């Protein structure tokens, strides 16, 4: 079997080179992103988080957490499609199972990479496995991530094994598949929602447009639409030259499911906001309101409008537009939750550093490249000719070979980062403005009322140092004679070397000459003068 | 880490009376001294907590007011920490075990008082915050800040006694204080209590915190996880069995399987 693999490899490489020439633009772009991302990753590990990110004490989570949310959400198709095909036995989606599994597996692996990059102590990531705190949402997420990645590996294993010609374990894998499939669906549902639960504990900090007791439900519902849209998008992309194709009805059917889930999500989202009284003019007119409106219009209203047209669902362009819109809206929702919603309190702004952006883009490019390569290598989407059982009339309705005009295609893709960039820049400028104007009328502060504090002021008790050998007598330090009781300033002396905690001790004499030193009493008192002035005891 | 056996058994705490603070900065100096931190600039009135300052005195709302870890009775940081690096001790302090920390910074994200700070400058950073002088408490001594305070603006003692004293002070001079002990119920109660004559919001303290401990918000969901997993697993297995059986029956009867038809089986969740 190895022999065939080796014999096939050059052919695969040859075809890849050929395709790479055709994919020149995307390939080059991805390679550039990965390279810059690699440089940034080296910097991040060599210099630490502080010097390579714009994260601060007031903004400890940034772009990378948003990227985790995105990656996991986009990978949601893995469990939805598997559930519909293998549990609900909706066989129409059978051809999508492999691309969905591949998307999910790559998504999960990359999210774990990002998590390790984001950890302050990446060398200790294994602590998560051995030190348990079941009260932490992060604990649940970690375990779901690990277990579900294992499940995905098992689910994808038959594809990989078949590719390498190893058929012996396949019957066994098939036999034990069901528990894995069930576990995978349950685990995914759990942690897709628990990414939302992460924020349940910050009711005062996260803006009410994004904070909701329903966060776990909303995160779950939105990931369904986003995950399916990811598969639609990737399948459109991989099949755009017609060499690989899917049964014609699959993507339009999938788009219908997206529309239904999206509509449900939109309803629950609005209903929740209305119930909590957030949908007011005051809130919606604010900067956060604008960001929410953008997120909702782009990610829910616009794709629903596109998908409502049966004609659009059957066109590649329509499907492209709808899935891209859903993904943009989803990205905006997660980024708003992670960044926008947390900028109002504590009043602060955040814009990622170039390293944060470079690593994020590099990871995204890596994910797309891995998907494209694996899709081809493992035959995840079959080669063109074998498309049995589909009428040729339907073929004509959606010619898989008809690529979208590439410039328009590129424009759509470029919209995502551009929109995010513009939104963030806008956010930063608006917040800085409000910060300036917000601070201009300071509330008339009452004067600092020292009198009450001074009335309670007590001089610390006298500190007596016993008489040492050869000393003329004991020395008693009195705060009374050193401090102006009308304006006591502890810091003027205690910051300069006189210990605050040592005064509790006092007691035995220090070594001879220590107190005459100019770091101690000797700084002001001249040891050559009247000994009895200090050594009074 | 102190030996649990020698920790005080009744929760200790601090009472901070902003009407008594003269802003001398002795607390922050003593804190820096006890923790081996750089000497703070006590002339600065707008200093913020940092990885090098576990308490600061700020001039805010016309008063001097301290910032430090509030040592919640049910700490959010301890609840969210994936590896259990934070722990509320019986004696009051919320302590941090740096040897467990993996640096996810969820504590910083979740703390209702935005207290935990990070050593951003370091390649292998730690979270830093006030530990209520847990080692000193274990020796039966008060916190360094309370021992250094010359006006009694920061008092150390058992939390119950301090709460009673705070209420007594308010009752004795109702005109002098607002009728609220901050920390008595905020975020489920804290070991650090504040009384003041100006609003706590003006002093920079969040005034919209729930009176319920925040970990309850997630536990309400987290505690459902095992039940959900079992229910969902059984439900899905049932669906599998039913749809599978339908296909088997259909195959035996020579009909097309229900899921294969063009309009059959509207989609899964």
């Amino acid at each position: 079997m190895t022999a065939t693999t080796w014999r096939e490899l050059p052919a695969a490489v040859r075809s890849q080179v050929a395709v790479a020439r055709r994919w020149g633009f995307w390939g080059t772009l991805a390679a550039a992103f990965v390279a810059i991302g690699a440089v940034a990753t080296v910097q991040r590990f060599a210099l630490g988080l502080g010097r390579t990110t714009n994260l601060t004490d007031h903004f400890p989570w940034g772009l990378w957490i948003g990227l985790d949310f995105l990656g996991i959400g986009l990978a949601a198709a893995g469990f939805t499609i598997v559930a519909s095909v293998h549990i609900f036995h909706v066989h129409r989606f059978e051809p999508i199972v492999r691309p969905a599994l591949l998307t999910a597996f790559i998504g999960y692996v990359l999210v774990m990479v990002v998590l390790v990059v984001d950890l302050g102590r990446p060398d200790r990531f294994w602590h998560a496995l051995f030190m348990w705190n079941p009260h932490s949402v992060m604990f649940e997420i970690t375990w779901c991530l690990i277990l579900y990645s294992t499940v995905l590996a098992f689910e994808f294993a038959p594809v990989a094994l078949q590719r390498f010609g190893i058929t012996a374990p396949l019957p066994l894998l098939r036999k034990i598949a069901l528990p894995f499939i069930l576990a995978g669906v349950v685990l995914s549902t759990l942690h897709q929602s628990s990414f939302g639960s992460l924020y349940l504990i910050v009711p005062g900090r996260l803006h009410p447009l994004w904070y909701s007791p329903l966060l776990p439900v909303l995160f779950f519902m939105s990931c369904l639409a986003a995950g399916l849209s990811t598969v639609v998008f990737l399948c459109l992309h991989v099949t755009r030259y017609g060499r690989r194709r899917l049964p014609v009805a699959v993507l339009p059917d999938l788009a219908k499911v997206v529309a239904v889930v999206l509509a449900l999500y939109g309803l629950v989202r609005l209903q929740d906001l209305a119930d909590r009284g957030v949908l007011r003019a005051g809130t919606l007119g604010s900067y956060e309101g604008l960001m929410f409106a953008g997120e909702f219009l782009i990610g829910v209203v616009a794709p629903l409008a596109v998908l409502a047209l049966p004609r659009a669902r059957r066109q590649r362009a329509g499907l492209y537009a709808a899935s891209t819109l859903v993904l943009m809206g989803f990205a905006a929702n997660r980024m708003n939750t992670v960044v926008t919603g947390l900028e109002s309190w504590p009043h602060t702004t955040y814009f990622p550093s170039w390293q944060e952006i470079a690593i994020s883009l590099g990871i995204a490019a890596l994910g797309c490249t891995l998907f494209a390569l694996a899709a081809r290598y493992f035959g995840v989407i079959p080669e063109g000719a074998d498309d049995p059982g589909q009428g040729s009339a339907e073929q004509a309705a959606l010619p898989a070979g008809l690529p979208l005009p590439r410039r328009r295609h590129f424009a759509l893709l470029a919209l995502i980062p551009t929109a995010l960039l513009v939104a963030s820049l806008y956010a930063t400028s608006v917040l800085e403005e409000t910060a300036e104007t917000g601070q201009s009328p300071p509330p008339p502060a009452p004067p600092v009322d020292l009198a009450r504090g001074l009335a309670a002021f007590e001089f610390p008790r006298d500190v007596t140092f016993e008489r040492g050998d050869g000393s003329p007598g004991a020395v008693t330090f009195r705060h009374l004679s050193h401090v102006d009781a009308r304006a006591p300033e502890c810091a003027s002396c205690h910051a300069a070397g006189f210990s605050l905690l040592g005064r509790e001790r006092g007691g035995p004499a220090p070594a001879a000459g220590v107190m005459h030193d100019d770091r101690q009493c000797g700084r002001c008192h001249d040891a050559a003068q009247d000994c009895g002035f200090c050594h009074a005891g | 880490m102190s030996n649990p056996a020698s920790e005080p058994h009744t929760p200790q705490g601090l009472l901070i009376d902003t009407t008594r603070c003269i802003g001398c900065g002795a607390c922050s100096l003593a804190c820096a001294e006890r923790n081996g931190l750089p000497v703070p600039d006590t002339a600065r009135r707008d200093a913020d907590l940092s990885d090098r300052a576990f308490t600061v005195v700020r001039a805010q709302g016309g008063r001097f007011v301290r910032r430090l870890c509030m040592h919640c009775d049910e700490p959010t940081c301890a609840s969210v920490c994936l590896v259990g690096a934070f722990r509320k001790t019986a004696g009051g302090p919320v302590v941090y075990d740096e040897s467990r920390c993996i640096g996810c910074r969820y504590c910083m994200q979740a703390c209702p008082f935005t207290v935990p700070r990070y050593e951003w400058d370091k390649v292998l950073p730690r979270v830093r915050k006030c530990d209520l002088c847990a080692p000193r408490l274990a020796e039966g001594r008060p916190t360094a800040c309370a021992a250094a305070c010359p006006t009694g603006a920061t008092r150390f003692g058992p939390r119950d006694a301090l709460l009673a004293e705070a209420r007594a002070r308010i009752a004795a001079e109702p005109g002098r204080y607002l009728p609220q002990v901050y920390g008595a119920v905020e975020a489920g109660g804290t070991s650090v209590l504040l009384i003041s004559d100006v609003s706590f919001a003006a002093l920079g303290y969040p005034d919209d915190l729930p009176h319920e401990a925040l970990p309850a918000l997630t536990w309400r969901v987290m505690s459902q996880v095992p039940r959900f997993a079992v229910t969902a697993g059984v439900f899905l297995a049932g669906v599998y069995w039913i749809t599978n059986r339908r296909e088997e029956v259909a195959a035996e009867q020579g009909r097309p399987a229900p899921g294969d038809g063009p309009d059959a089986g509207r989609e899964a969740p």
Side-chain angles (χ1 to χ4, degrees):
Chain A
M1 78 213 165
T2 20
T4 50
T5 311
W6 280 114
R7 229 178 298 139
E8 277 172 13
L9 201 62
V13 169
R14 242 180 293 130
S15 80
Q16 266 171 39
V17 170
V19 176
R21 202 166 291 149
R22 243 179 357 175
W23 282 24
F25 174 73
W26 293 111
T28 320
L29 195 66
F33 279 163
V34 172
I36 300 171
V39 172
T41 309
V42 171
Q43 282 205 355
R44 177 261 167 269
F45 284 116
L47 302 175
L49 286 171
R51 264 175 279 177
T52 51
T53 69
N54 283 346
L55 299 172
T56 61
D57 284 329
H58 289 298
F59 227 99
W61 284 3
L63 181 65
W64 290 335
I65 295 286
L67 188 67
D68 293 331
F69 284 19
L70 271 180
I72 292 298
L74 302 188
F79 84 95
T80 33
I81 299 289
V82 165
S84 29
V85 172
H86 290 307
I87 297 178
F88 290 82
H89 289 95
V90 182
H91 291 293
R92 263 178 309 162
F93 293 146
E94 194 107 42
I96 304 279
V97 169
R98 286 177 169 199
L101 277 178
L102 185 63
T103 313
F105 189 59
I106 291 173
Y108 274 79
V109 170
L110 291 182
V111 162
M112 287 198 275
V113 172
V114 176
L115 281 174
V116 171
V117 169
D118 200 355
L119 281 187
R121 294 295 306 258
D123 53 319
R124 291 187 181 157
F125 75 95
W126 53 271
H127 280 201
L129 302 180
F130 298 104
M131 301 176 183
W132 289 18
N133 175 15
H135 284 261
S136 171
V137 179
M138 196 83 86
F139 167 83
E140 186 203 327
I141 289 180
T142 307
W143 276 102
C144 283
L145 271 182
I146 293 167
L147 292 176
Y148 186 55
S149 301
T150 317
V151 166
L152 279 172
F154 266 95
E155 286 179 341
F156 196 71
V159 182
L161 290 175
Q162 268 172 338
R163 179 67 180 83
F164 296 123
I166 308 168
T167 49
L170 289 180
L172 176 71
L173 280 176
R174 215 168 291 139
K175 226 170 260 170
I176 60 166
L178 184 62
F180 277 99
I181 288 166
L182 290 176
V185 175
V186 173
L187 286 168
S188 297
T189 311
L190 277 176
H191 81 276
Q192 290 287 356
S193 56
S194 49
F195 272 95
S197 310
L198 274 180
Y199 286 95
L200 282 179
I201 207 159
V202 293
R205 290 179 75 158
L206 186 58
H207 192 279
L209 277 167
W210 292 281
Y211 183 87
S212 159
L214 283 185
L215 264 175
V217 177
L218 291 170
F219 262 55
F220 178 72
M221 296 184 77
S222 52
C223 88
L224 295 180
L228 295 177
S229 297
T230 311
V231 174
V232 171
F233 185 89
L234 287 176
C235 287
L236 286 171
H237 194 78
V238 174
T239 58
R240 72 191 184 286
Y241 294 113
R243 277 186 57 244
R244 293 159 193 285
R245 59 184 56 167
L246 290 158
V248 170
V250 166
L251 293 186
D253 276 357
L254 218 49
K256 259 190 249 174
V257 184
V258 170
V260 171
V261 176
L262 206 58
L264 273 177
Y265 164 73
L267 274 180
V268 175
R269 181 98 165 88
L270 289 181
Q271 181 72 45
D272 169 60
L273 288 173
D275 281 354
R276 290 181 296 112
V278 187
L279 286 182
R280 287 188 317 262
T283 319
L284 291 180
S286 66
Y287 154 65
E288 282 88 359
L290 287 178
M291 295 299 277
F292 165 74
E295 161 199 323
F296 199 78
L297 290 176
I298 294 174
V300 181
V301 178
L304 275 178
V306 174
L307 291 173
L309 304 169
R311 216 159 53 93
R313 284 202 304 270
R314 268 182 245 114
Q315 299 280 332
R316 292 178 64 85
L319 291 173
Y320 255 123
S323 57
T324 311
L325 285 168
V326 172
L327 294 182
M328 281 170 61
F330 179 77
N333 170 261
R334 295 307 195 254
M335 287 301 172
N336 279 340
T337 309
V338 174
V339 179
T340 316
L342 287 163
E343 282 181 322
S344 54
W345 196 92
H347 200 93
T348 182
T349 57
Y350 161 81
F351 190 81
S353 70
W354 76 262
Q355 286 98 336
E356 288 178 84
I357 297 173
I359 291 178
S360 304
L361 288 178
I363 293 277
L366 190 64
C368 292
T369 312
L370 285 178
F371 181 85
L373 292 180
R376 223 171 309 144
Y377 187 72
F378 292 114
V380 158
I381 296 176
E383 292 273 348
D386 53 355
D387 188 11
Q390 296 298 328
S392 53
E394 279 179 284
Q395 285 273 18
L398 183 76
L402 181 72
L404 208 66
R406 284 179 72 185
R407 219 166 281 150
R408 190 159 22 128
H409 177 175
F410 172 65
L412 275 178
L413 258 187
L415 265 178
I416 302 175
T418 315
L420 284 176
L421 194 74
V422 170
S424 318
L425 285 174
Y426 176 69
T428 315
S429 65
V430 165
L431 267 174
E432 269 161 11
E433 242 169 60
T434 52
E436 281 159 20
T437 53
Q439 279 170 5
S440 56
V448 169
D449 193 349
L450 274 175
R452 286 170 178 178
L454 287 176
F457 183 75
E458 285 173 42
F459 285 112
R461 60 184 164 79
D462 294 348
V463 183
T464 301
F465 299 93
E466 289 159 15
R467 180 177 168 275
D469 292 338
S471 162
V475 174
T476 298
F477 173 83
R478 293 186 179 82
H479 276 89
L480 190 61
S481 53
H482 288 79
V483 180
D484 177 1
R486 289 164 303 172
E489 270 190 70
C490 308
S492 54
C493 299
H494 284 299
F498 299 96
S499 169
L500 265 175
L501 301 181
R503 70 177 192 151
E504 293 167 57
R505 293 191 289 273
V514 165
M515 297 180 73
H516 294 177
D517 190 278
D518 67 356
R519 278 166 302 179
Q520 302 287 339
C521 308
R523 177 176 293 184
C524 304
H525 295 279
D526 188 350
Q529 296 287 317
D530 178 12
C531 299
F533 183 79
C534 299
H535 294 276
Chain B
M1 297 271 308
S2 55
N3 174 12
S6 59
E7 280 168 6
H9 292 298
T10 49
Q12 308 290 303
L14 295 174
L15 172 59
I16 297 171
D17 184 339
T18 59
T19 71
R20 293 193 184 185
C21 183
I22 58 171
C24 71
C27 49
S28 57
L29 282 171
C31 176
E33 189 176 336
R34 132 64 185 136
N35 290 296
L37 303 170
V39 173
D41 177 6
T42 51
R44 263 191 74 183
R45 296 304 186 201
D46 61 345
D48 195 5
L49 296 178
S50 77
D51 58 330
R52 297 180 184 87
F54 302 165
T55 186
V56 291
V57 184
R58 297 164 62 88
Q60 209 161 351
R63 296 288 173 272
F64 294 114
V65 63
R66 286 186 66 190
R67 291 289 321 269
L68 73 163
C69 174
M70 300 293 284
H71 298 278
C72 304
D73 291 346
E74 285 179 57
T76 305
C77 54
S79 162
V80 300
C81 182
L82 157 75
V83 290
F86 288 94
R87 189 168 61 91
K88 174 77 174 178
T89 59
V94 175
V95 294
Y96 165 72
D97 179 357
E98 63 182 60
S99 71
R100 297 176 83 96
C101 179
I102 59 174
C104 74
R105 311 186 294 283
Y106 195 6
C107 51
M108 307 175 64
Q109 184 70 54
C111 173
F113 302 101
T114 49
V115 163
R117 292 296 189 264
Y118 210 51
E119 294 179 317
W120 295 103
D121 296 344
K122 296 195 177 171
V123 176
L124 296 178
R126 293 171 292 178
V127 172
R128 308 304 314 267
K129 72 168 195 72
C130 158
D131 65 352
L132 204 67
C133 287
R136 285 173 59 100
L137 264 59
E139 296 166 12
R141 300 195 300 162
T143 65
C145 56
C149 182
T151 66
T154 296
R155 288 279 305 274
F156 173 82
R159 184 180 184 271
D160 290 346
L162 292 178
L163 191 56
E165 183 180 336
R167 292 194 171 128
R169 278 191 211 172
I170 294 171
E173 290 180 86
R176 177 167 172 168
Y177 297 103
L178 293 175
Q180 181 192 1
V181 182
Y182 191 91
V185 289
E186 279 71 16
T190 59
S191 288
V192 175
L193 306 168
L194 288 96
I195 50 176
S196 171
D197 58 342
V198 297
S199 81
F200 293 101
L203 296 174
Y205 276 80
D207 62 346
D208 54 352
L209 291 177
H211 291 178
E212 169 193 43
L214 292 163
L217 291 173
T218 36
W219 188 240
R220 214 171 282 149
V221 174
M222 290 288 291
S223 57
Q224 302 295 324
V225 165
R227 202 181 309 164
F228 172 84
V230 172
T231 314
V234 170
F235 170 74
L236 290 172
V239 169
Y240 170 82
W241 187 82
I242 292 169
T243 52
N244 193 44
R245 183 73 193 135
R246 276 167 71 194
E247 284 191 348
E248 281 172 12
V249 170
E252 274 175 32
Q253 296 175 348
R255 286 190 284 110
D260 288 340
D263 290 308
R266 276 286 153 241
E267 279 38 272

